[in-house]
Amino acid sequence: MNGTVRRPLIGVSTYLEAEARWGVWTLPAALLPAGYPRLVQAAGGLAAMVPPDDPAYATDVVARLDAVVVAGGPDVEPSRYGAPRDARTGPPATERDAWELALIEAALATGTPLLGICRGMQLLNVALGGTLIQHLDGHAVARGVFGTHTVTPVPGTRYASAVPDASTDVPTYHHQAVDVLGRNLIASAHAADGTIEAVELPGPTWTLGVQWHPEMGTDTRLMESLVQAASRTHADSSIL
């Protein structure tokens, strides 16, 4: 032992793209914007990319991680929450939906700390039986451009404990949002227009989703809260 503190391993789900280009190559790729691992690292964790796999392996993957982050990305397939497809809903990401829902279910079943970001928050809601608003105006500035708006925490929630400011400006880019909350989820932050901006499960297990993109900002407090929860979970499992 060298006396150094073990940094928890935080798995971050990835995009799965038919084509990505680097150097002379254009190939299918599992990838992740660098903001995600940089945020994990800045908050004191080790980042591991978790690309889509057979959903049957999700429990084995989660067992090797101290926490899970489900990243942003394409719209959730409306059939996952029993809705017809709106004309403004993006094309399906069937493989990602299946894999990330399995990751969420495994994290919930094992009490592994879980953070959903944008699409990840929406998937968490869907995994627990909730529904989504398929189009929402005013939460994206322009195609491919992150905007900023203010979110207000709900007092007494885990999110308010992690970020206790009366209000915070956050980086945002989305056109869908939570409609009916999933089982046992509570809203823990709202936008000025009333949109649910964060959800969480009350209780000892750290489970939270945010509609914005913390990886595009400089505020590490939310990720630090996840990393601290992951450290405690690892310490508890090491005792067993």
Side-chain angles (χ1 to χ4, degrees), residues 147-154 159-172 188-192 197-198 210 212-214 217-222:
T148 302
H149 68 227
T150 300
V151 299
T152 302
V154 175
Y159 173 69
S161 177
V163 185
D165 304 356
S167 62
T168 307
D169 289 339
V170 296
T172 184
S188 49
H190 294 89
E197 288 284 331
V210 296
W212 65 90
H213 285 266
T218 58
D219 190 338
T220 61
R221 289 176 293 178
L222 181 62

Side-chain angles (χ1 to χ4, degrees), residues 119-218:
R119 163 189 164 84
M121 168 177 148
Q122 295 166 6
L123 271 174
L124 171 61
N125 192 58
V126 169
L128 291 171
T131 63
L132 303 179
I133 299 168
Q134 290 193 50
H135 185 74
L136 184 71
D137 290 319
H139 287 248
V141 176
R143 183 177 176 84
V145 178
F146 281 88
T148 302
H149 68 227
T150 300
V151 299
T152 302
V154 175
T157 60
R158 178 174 285 112
Y159 173 69
S161 177
V163 185
D165 304 356
S167 62
T168 307
D169 289 339
V170 296
T172 184
Y173 185 81
H174 64 97
H175 81 113
Q176 297 194 336
V178 166
D179 186 10
V180 176
L181 282 165
R183 292 183 303 277
N184 301 321
L185 283 172
I186 62 170
S188 49
H190 294 89
D193 65 1
T195 300
I196 295 173
E197 288 284 331
V199 300
E200 60 187 64
L201 282 176
T205 300
W206 203 105
T207 303
L208 198 151
V210 296
Q211 186 57 74
W212 65 90
H213 285 266
E215 81 283 359
M216 295 303 297
T218 58

Side-chain angles (χ1 to χ4, degrees), residues 3-30:
T4 59
V5 175
R6 179 190 181 277
R7 303 179 78 188
L9 183 63
I10 314 298
V12 186
S13 68
T14 73
Y15 289 67
L16 188 64
E17 298 296 328
E19 287 189 356
R21 183 174 180 178
W22 64 99
V24 298
W25 304 104
T26 300
L27 293 169

Side-chain angles (χ1 to χ4, degrees), residues 30-54:
L31 50 82
L32 194 64
Y36 288 97
R38 287 174 179 165
L39 181 62
V40 170
Q41 293 157 359
L46 298 174
M49 292 173 61
V50 183
D53 202 338
D54 185 329

